[in-house]
């Protein structure tokens, strides 16, 4: 299996429309972005981990935790931030084989999730992009417009569509369909494809859904969807933060002091 030179870039900005100041919200004494970045750094198959932010206060927080930061211009879309940061890093590091976007609102990300996505690209060198999903098991989440639901092909895992609406169709009212998956917001690109993806420009379906990865479909290209057995969580609002804080109290990595906590 090919060994890949892989960089994980964690985008974060303070002016989130749904939850301003989100990256620095505290979870058991550490910032949310700190949890995400340090847990990502536990992945031994990654070559490098960098936080990309336009905010000096986020940069200072990550530096205080011993992490690496690239301060970027302000962008509306996280993949523009990822691409800008990657180009700056590649100027000194040289090119990487794979760029992974680990969105900074995932304080429960597990290093094995990164291992899985890197292994998929190592085993399939022609693969241009991929993403992780996990089973969605709660009817409330199925109807939650903050949760991105994902359809993909059984035959090869190719992405069919992403939506904030409940998909596949809830034909039976109040009953969760047999197979429902939610996006984990961990996305891998070959650097050349990331550049092509951004140059293609916004498409109708991505604008309507507010999900830029639908652009891959409209480009006529393939994003491979991988099902992770690991249960994680994302933070979109104060209610999510309270739930994740409660989960963190029993999290094995946090309680084993695998990162942080002095």
């Amino acid at each position: 299996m090919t060994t890949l030179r892989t960089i994980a870039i964690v985008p974060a900005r303070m002016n989130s429309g749904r939850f301003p100041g989100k990256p620095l919200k505290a979870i058991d004494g550490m910032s949310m972005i700190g949890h995400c970045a340090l847990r990502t750094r536990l992945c031994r198959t990654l070559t490098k981990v960098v936080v990309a932010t336009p905010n000096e206060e986020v940069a200072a927080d990550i530096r205080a935790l011993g992490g690496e930061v690239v301060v970027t211009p302000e962008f509306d879309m996280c993949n523009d931030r990822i691409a800008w940061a990657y180009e700056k890093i590649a100027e000194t590091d040289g090119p990487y084989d794979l760029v992974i976007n680990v969105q900074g609102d995932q304080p429960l990300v597990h290093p094995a999730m990164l291992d899985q996505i890197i292994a998929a690209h190592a085993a399939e060198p022609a693969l241009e992009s991929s993403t992780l999903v996990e089973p969605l098991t709660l009817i409330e989440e199925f109807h939650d417009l903050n949760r991105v639901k994902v359809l993909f092909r059984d035959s090869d895992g190719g992405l069919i569509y992403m939506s904030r609406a409940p998909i596949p169709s809830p034909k039976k009212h109040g009953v969760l369909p047999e197979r429902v998956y939610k996006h984990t917001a961990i996305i891998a690109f070959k650097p050349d494809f990331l550049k092509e993806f951004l140059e293609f420009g916004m498409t109708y379906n991505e604008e309507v859904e507010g999900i830029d990865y639908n652009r891959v479909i409209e480009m006529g290209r393939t994003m491979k969807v991988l099902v992770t057995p690991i249960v994680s969580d994302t933070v979109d609002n104060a209610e999510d933060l309270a739930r994740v804080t409660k989960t963190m109290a029993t999290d094995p990595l946090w309680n084993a002091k695998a990162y942080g906590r002095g």
Side-chain angles (χ1 to χ4, degrees):
M1 186 179 291
T2 306
T3 299
L4 300 178
R5 192 165 188 256
T6 304
I7 183 168
I9 302 179
V10 184
R13 63 174 182 161
M14 292 293 283
N15 62 340
S16 165
R18 287 178 289 183
F19 196 11
K22 181 166 65 170
L24 295 184
K25 298 297 183 185
I27 300 174
D28 201 6
M30 179 180 285
S31 65
M32 182 173 69
I33 188 62
H35 281 286
C36 185
L38 295 186
R39 291 168 75 100
T40 299
R41 202 165 67 176
L42 293 175
C43 175
R44 300 306 178 195
T45 51
L46 281 168
T47 309
K48 189 170 192 151
V49 178
V50 178
V51 171
T53 181
N55 306 114
E56 288 292 346
E57 59 264 55
V58 174
D61 180 76
I62 292 300
R63 291 186 188 113
L65 293 169
E68 291 192 53
V69 186
V70 171
V71 178
T72 73
E74 185 61 82
F75 293 103
D76 289 332
M77 305 302 288
C78 70
N79 285 305
D80 291 307
R81 190 179 316 286
I82 294 289
W84 193 95
Y86 173 74
E87 290 300 324
K88 285 295 179 185
I89 294 162
E91 286 176 5
T92 54
D93 287 13
Y96 287 80
D97 299 309
L98 194 65
V99 180
I100 304 181
N101 175 352
V102 182
Q103 293 186 14
D105 56 4
Q106 300 177 95
L108 293 170
V109 64
H110 194 284
M113 299 166 79
L114 284 305
D115 286 330
Q116 182 181 1
I117 208 165
I118 292 167
H121 282 265
E124 195 174 338
L127 185 60
E128 294 180 312
S129 66
S130 65
T131 192
L132 290 179
V133 298
E134 60 184 82
L136 188 155
T137 59
L138 299 175
I139 191 72
E140 295 81 9
E141 277 197 299
F142 185 50
H143 292 282
D144 185 347
L145 297 184
N146 287 320
R147 295 290 179 258
V148 174
K149 276 69 74 175
V150 182
L151 297 181
F152 56 94
R153 296 190 294 266
D154 285 337
S155 58
D156 62 357
L159 175 66
I160 296 173
Y161 197 63
M162 293 189 186
S163 180
R164 298 181 187 279
I167 56 171
S169 173
K171 291 186 294 184
K172 299 177 181 178
H173 180 70
V175 177
L176 196 67
E178 185 177 337
R179 292 193 311 169
V180 183
Y181 296 95
K182 61 181 177 180
H183 197 220
T184 64
I186 297 174
I187 310 96
F189 287 98
K190 282 187 172 181
D192 287 347
F193 184 57
L194 175 59
K195 184 177 181 181
E196 189 177 344
F197 172 85
L198 293 173
E199 289 175 347
F200 192 85
M202 185 175 287
T203 65
Y204 175 78
N205 285 324
E206 73 165 291
E207 185 176 8
V208 168
E209 294 284 2
I211 305 168
D212 45 1
Y213 305 110
N214 282 330
R215 187 185 310 179
V216 175
I217 305 162
E218 297 201 58
M219 291 172 70
R221 307 291 271 277
T222 297
M223 175 175 278
K224 188 165 189 173
V225 176
L226 306 165
V227 179
T228 174
I230 296 168
V231 177
S232 61
D233 207 344
T234 57
V235 175
D236 290 305
N237 52 44
E239 181 180 316
D240 293 341
L241 182 67
R243 182 183 63 250
V244 167
T245 299
K246 185 176 180 181
T247 303
M248 190 67 74
T250 58
D251 176 74
L253 290 177
W254 183 236
N255 287 323
K257 299 184 180 180
Y259 68 100
R261 306 192 82 157

